[in-house]
Protein backbone atom coordinates (compact mmCIF):
# COMPACT_ATOMS: atom_id res chain seq x y z
CA UNK A 1 0.00 0.00 0.00
CA UNK A 2 1.31 3.45 -0.95
CA UNK A 3 0.17 6.19 1.42
CA UNK A 4 0.35 9.97 1.36
CA UNK A 5 0.57 11.31 4.92
CA UNK A 6 -0.21 15.03 5.33
CA UNK A 7 0.83 16.01 8.85
CA UNK A 8 2.61 19.10 10.17
CA UNK A 9 3.60 17.48 13.48
CA UNK A 10 6.98 15.87 12.75
CA UNK A 11 6.87 13.56 15.77
CA UNK A 12 3.41 12.29 14.83
CA UNK A 13 4.45 11.87 11.20
CA UNK A 14 7.57 9.90 12.16
CA UNK A 15 5.51 7.62 14.42
CA UNK A 16 2.99 6.86 11.66
CA UNK A 17 5.63 6.36 8.96
CA UNK A 18 7.61 3.96 11.13
CA UNK A 19 4.52 1.93 11.98
CA UNK A 20 3.44 1.74 8.35
CA UNK A 21 6.93 0.70 7.25
CA UNK A 22 6.98 -2.08 9.84
CA UNK A 23 3.61 -3.23 8.46
CA UNK A 24 5.00 -3.38 4.92
CA UNK A 25 3.55 -0.12 3.60
CA UNK A 26 5.32 2.88 2.05
CA UNK A 27 4.46 6.41 3.18
CA UNK A 28 5.28 9.72 1.49
CA UNK A 29 5.08 12.73 3.81
CA UNK A 30 3.82 16.27 3.17
CA UNK A 31 4.21 18.88 5.90
CA UNK A 32 1.05 20.85 5.11
CA UNK A 33 -2.08 20.77 2.99
CA UNK A 34 -0.61 22.85 0.18
CA UNK A 35 2.27 20.42 -0.38
CA UNK A 36 -0.10 17.50 0.14
CA UNK A 37 -2.43 18.78 -2.57
CA UNK A 38 0.41 19.04 -5.08
CA UNK A 39 1.70 15.56 -4.23
CA UNK A 40 -1.77 14.00 -4.36
CA UNK A 41 -2.53 15.53 -7.76
CA UNK A 42 0.80 14.48 -9.22
CA UNK A 43 1.11 10.97 -7.78
CA UNK A 44 -0.89 7.77 -7.40
CA UNK A 45 -1.72 6.73 -3.85
CA UNK A 46 -3.87 4.00 -2.40
CA UNK A 47 -4.73 6.18 0.59
CA UNK A 48 -4.34 9.70 1.98
CA UNK A 49 -4.05 10.21 5.72
CA UNK A 50 -4.36 13.86 6.65
CA UNK A 51 -4.35 15.97 9.76
CA UNK A 52 -7.20 18.45 9.85
CA UNK A 53 -5.62 21.58 11.33
CA UNK A 54 -2.43 22.66 9.54
CA UNK A 55 -0.77 25.92 8.46
CA UNK A 56 -1.19 27.39 4.95
CA UNK A 57 -3.81 24.92 3.74
CA UNK A 58 -5.66 22.77 6.27
CA UNK A 59 -6.83 19.22 5.70
CA UNK A 60 -10.40 20.09 4.73
CA UNK A 61 -9.31 22.78 2.27
CA UNK A 62 -6.95 20.27 0.67
CA UNK A 63 -9.69 17.63 0.49
CA UNK A 64 -12.23 19.96 -1.10
CA UNK A 65 -9.68 20.96 -3.73
CA UNK A 66 -8.84 17.32 -4.42
CA UNK A 67 -12.47 16.30 -4.83
CA UNK A 68 -13.16 19.32 -7.03
CA UNK A 69 -10.28 18.18 -9.25
CA UNK A 70 -11.84 14.72 -9.54
CA UNK A 71 -9.35 12.96 -7.27
CA UNK A 72 -11.25 10.28 -5.34
CA UNK A 73 -8.37 8.70 -3.39
CA UNK A 74 -9.79 7.33 -0.11
CA UNK A 75 -8.90 9.70 2.72
CA UNK A 76 -8.68 9.24 6.47
CA UNK A 77 -8.84 12.45 8.53
CA UNK A 78 -6.91 12.62 11.81
CA UNK A 79 -8.01 15.30 14.25
CA UNK A 80 -8.21 16.28 17.90
CA UNK A 81 -11.56 17.89 17.11
CA UNK A 82 -13.93 15.27 18.45
CA UNK A 83 -17.46 16.71 18.43
CA UNK A 84 -20.17 15.17 16.27
CA UNK A 85 -20.33 18.39 14.24
CA UNK A 86 -16.58 18.26 13.62
CA UNK A 87 -16.75 14.67 12.42
CA UNK A 88 -19.74 15.36 10.18
CA UNK A 89 -18.00 18.40 8.68
CA UNK A 90 -14.90 16.30 7.96
CA UNK A 91 -16.87 13.55 6.26
CA UNK A 92 -19.00 15.98 4.25
CA UNK A 93 -15.83 17.84 3.30
CA UNK A 94 -14.51 14.82 1.42
CA UNK A 95 -13.19 12.49 4.10
CA UNK A 96 -14.00 8.78 3.95
CA UNK A 97 -13.23 8.15 7.62
CA UNK A 98 -12.41 10.23 10.68
CA UNK A 99 -10.12 9.14 13.52
CA UNK A 100 -9.80 11.17 16.69
CA UNK A 101 -6.40 11.90 18.24
CA UNK A 102 -4.88 10.38 20.26
CA UNK A 103 -5.35 6.99 18.62
CA UNK A 104 -3.93 3.48 18.79
CA UNK A 105 -1.76 2.68 15.78
CA UNK A 106 -3.44 -0.71 15.42
CA UNK A 107 -6.78 1.05 14.82
CA UNK A 108 -5.21 3.49 12.36
CA UNK A 109 -3.67 0.59 10.43
CA UNK A 110 -6.93 -1.37 10.34
CA UNK A 111 -8.91 1.61 9.09
CA UNK A 112 -6.22 2.46 6.53
CA UNK A 113 -6.15 -1.06 5.08
CA UNK A 114 -9.95 -1.16 4.81
CA UNK A 115 -10.08 2.22 3.06
CA UNK A 116 -7.26 1.31 0.67
CA UNK A 117 -9.35 -1.52 -0.73
CA UNK A 118 -11.68 1.12 -2.19
CA UNK A 119 -8.85 3.00 -3.89
CA UNK A 120 -9.25 3.67 -7.62
CA UNK A 121 -5.55 2.80 -7.88
CA UNK A 122 -6.02 -0.69 -6.51
CA UNK A 123 -9.71 -1.64 -6.64
CA UNK A 124 -9.94 -2.41 -10.32
CA UNK A 125 -7.03 -4.82 -10.33
CA UNK A 126 -7.03 -5.96 -6.71
CA UNK A 127 -6.73 -9.67 -6.23
CA UNK A 128 -6.44 -11.33 -2.85
CA UNK A 129 -4.34 -14.15 -4.34
CA UNK A 130 -1.52 -13.51 -6.80
CA UNK A 131 -0.11 -16.59 -8.50
CA UNK A 132 2.34 -17.67 -11.16
CA UNK A 133 2.75 -21.40 -11.80
CA UNK A 134 2.95 -22.97 -8.32
CA UNK A 135 4.11 -19.76 -6.61
CA UNK A 136 1.30 -18.10 -4.64
CA UNK A 137 1.05 -14.92 -2.57
CA UNK A 138 -1.91 -14.06 -0.34
CA UNK A 139 -2.15 -10.29 0.09
CA UNK A 140 -4.54 -10.36 3.04
CA UNK A 141 -2.83 -12.83 5.34
CA UNK A 142 0.62 -12.11 3.85
CA UNK A 143 1.43 -15.75 3.22
CA UNK A 144 3.66 -17.00 0.41
CA UNK A 145 4.02 -20.59 -0.75
CA UNK A 146 5.39 -22.59 -3.62
CA UNK A 147 4.29 -26.15 -4.36
CA UNK A 148 2.52 -26.14 -0.97
CA UNK A 149 5.81 -25.21 0.73
CA UNK A 150 5.39 -22.15 2.97
CA UNK A 151 8.02 -19.46 2.35
CA UNK A 152 8.98 -16.95 5.03
CA UNK A 153 9.66 -13.46 3.63
CA UNK A 154 10.47 -10.23 5.40
CA UNK A 155 8.43 -7.10 4.59
CA UNK A 156 10.72 -5.86 1.81
CA UNK A 157 10.92 -9.28 0.14
CA UNK A 158 7.13 -9.56 0.31
CA UNK A 159 6.71 -6.14 -1.33
CA UNK A 160 9.15 -7.03 -4.11
CA UNK A 161 7.44 -10.34 -4.83
CA UNK A 162 4.00 -8.70 -4.74
CA UNK A 163 5.15 -6.20 -7.35
CA UNK A 164 6.59 -8.94 -9.58
CA UNK A 165 3.43 -11.03 -9.30
CA UNK A 166 1.35 -7.97 -10.17
CA UNK A 167 3.38 -7.68 -13.39
CA UNK A 168 4.13 -11.28 -14.44
CA UNK A 169 6.16 -11.96 -17.58
CA UNK A 170 7.21 -8.30 -17.66
CA UNK A 171 10.75 -6.94 -17.38
CA UNK A 172 11.05 -4.89 -14.19
CA UNK A 173 13.91 -2.41 -14.07
CA UNK A 174 15.88 -1.43 -10.97
CA UNK A 175 14.43 2.07 -11.18
CA UNK A 176 10.89 0.68 -11.22
CA UNK A 177 11.63 -1.37 -8.10
CA UNK A 178 13.18 1.60 -6.31
CA UNK A 179 10.20 3.82 -7.07
CA UNK A 180 7.44 1.28 -6.46
CA UNK A 181 8.87 -0.68 -3.53
CA UNK A 182 11.26 1.70 -1.81
CA UNK A 183 9.26 4.74 -2.84
CA UNK A 184 12.16 7.09 -3.51
CA UNK A 185 14.92 7.62 -6.01
CA UNK A 186 18.61 7.05 -5.55
CA UNK A 187 21.47 5.71 -7.64
CA UNK A 188 19.96 2.81 -9.63
CA UNK A 189 23.46 1.31 -9.80
CA UNK A 190 23.46 0.62 -6.05
CA UNK A 191 23.57 -3.08 -5.21
CA UNK A 192 20.69 -2.92 -2.70
CA UNK A 193 18.37 -4.25 -5.41
CA UNK A 194 20.68 -7.13 -6.32
CA UNK A 195 21.07 -8.10 -2.66
CA UNK A 196 17.31 -8.28 -2.09
CA UNK A 197 16.68 -10.06 -5.38
CA UNK A 198 19.37 -12.60 -4.52
CA UNK A 199 17.76 -13.35 -1.15
CA UNK A 200 14.29 -13.56 -2.67
CA UNK A 201 15.47 -15.87 -5.45
CA UNK A 202 17.00 -18.29 -2.93
CA UNK A 203 13.67 -18.50 -1.12
CA UNK A 204 11.25 -18.88 -4.03
CA UNK A 205 13.33 -20.84 -6.54
CA UNK A 206 13.40 -24.19 -4.79
CA UNK A 207 16.06 -26.75 -5.76
CA UNK A 208 13.53 -29.17 -7.24
CA UNK A 209 11.45 -26.52 -9.05
CA UNK A 210 12.06 -24.65 -12.31
CA UNK A 211 13.39 -21.11 -11.71
CA UNK A 212 10.88 -18.26 -11.90
CA UNK A 213 12.91 -15.16 -11.04
CA UNK A 214 15.22 -14.32 -13.92
CA UNK A 215 17.87 -11.64 -14.40
CA UNK A 216 17.58 -9.92 -17.78
CA UNK A 217 21.09 -8.70 -18.47
CA UNK A 218 21.27 -4.95 -19.02
CA UNK A 219 17.53 -4.51 -18.38
CA UNK A 220 16.42 -5.75 -14.98
CA UNK A 221 14.47 -8.77 -13.78
CA UNK A 222 11.45 -10.80 -14.78
CA UNK A 223 9.18 -13.22 -12.94
CA UNK A 224 8.31 -15.73 -15.60
CA UNK A 225 7.77 -19.40 -16.33
CA UNK A 226 10.08 -18.89 -19.31
CA UNK A 227 13.75 -17.82 -19.21
Amino acid sequence: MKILLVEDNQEQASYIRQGMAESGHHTDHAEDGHIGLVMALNGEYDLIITDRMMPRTDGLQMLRALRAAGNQTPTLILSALDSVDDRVEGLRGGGDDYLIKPFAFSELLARAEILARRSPVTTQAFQEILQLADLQLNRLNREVSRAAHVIQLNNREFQILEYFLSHPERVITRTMLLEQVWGYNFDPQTNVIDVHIGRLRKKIDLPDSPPLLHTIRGAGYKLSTRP
Side-chain angles (χ1 to χ4, degrees), residues 85-132:
D85 288 343
D86 290 324
R87 297 197 298 272
V88 169
E89 183 182 17
L91 295 171
R92 285 181 173 169
D96 296 280
D97 199 357
Y98 194 105
L99 184 59
I100 296 169
K101 297 181 178 182
F103 52 83
F105 180 77
S106 57
E107 182 178 4
L108 172 65
L109 178 62
R111 290 181 184 231
E113 291 179 336
I114 289 170
L115 282 178
R117 296 175 197 166
R118 309 176 192 170
S119 170
V121 175
T122 58
T123 299
Q124 183 177 3
F126 182 83
Q127 296 174 269
E128 178 181 347
I129 304 295
L130 297 177
Q131 185 165 352
L132 180 69

Side-chain angles (χ1 to χ4, degrees), residues 86-195:
D86 290 324
R87 297 197 298 272
V88 169
E89 183 182 17
L91 295 171
R92 285 181 173 169
D96 296 280
D97 199 357
Y98 194 105
L99 184 59
I100 296 169
K101 297 181 178 182
F103 52 83
F105 180 77
S106 57
E107 182 178 4
L108 172 65
L109 178 62
R111 290 181 184 231
E113 291 179 336
I114 289 170
L115 282 178
R117 296 175 197 166
R118 309 176 192 170
S119 170
V121 175
T122 58
T123 299
Q124 183 177 3
F126 182 83
Q127 296 174 269
E128 178 181 347
I129 304 295
L130 297 177
Q131 185 165 352
L132 180 69
D134 56 354
L135 176 64
Q136 185 178 95
L137 179 147
N138 187 307
R139 284 170 149 169
L140 296 186
N141 63 24
R142 299 182 67 80
E143 289 184 354
V144 176
S145 64
R146 184 167 186 192
H149 173 74
V150 176
I151 300 170
Q152 299 297 327
L153 301 181
N154 61 34
N155 282 335
R156 188 68 73 194
E157 292 164 349
F158 185 92
Q159 289 175 291
I160 294 171
L161 181 59
E162 181 180 24
Y163 187 66
F164 274 117
L165 282 169
S166 298
H167 304 83
E169 310 291 345
R170 176 181 173 184
V171 175
I172 305 297
T173 67
R174 289 176 173 80
T175 299
M176 291 166 66
L177 284 172
L178 289 174
E179 291 178 348
Q180 298 299 321
V181 177
W182 274 261
Y184 53 87
N185 295 306
F186 60 93
D187 183 3
Q189 301 305 314
T190 179
N191 71 346
V192 65
I193 297 293
D194 302 282
V195 170

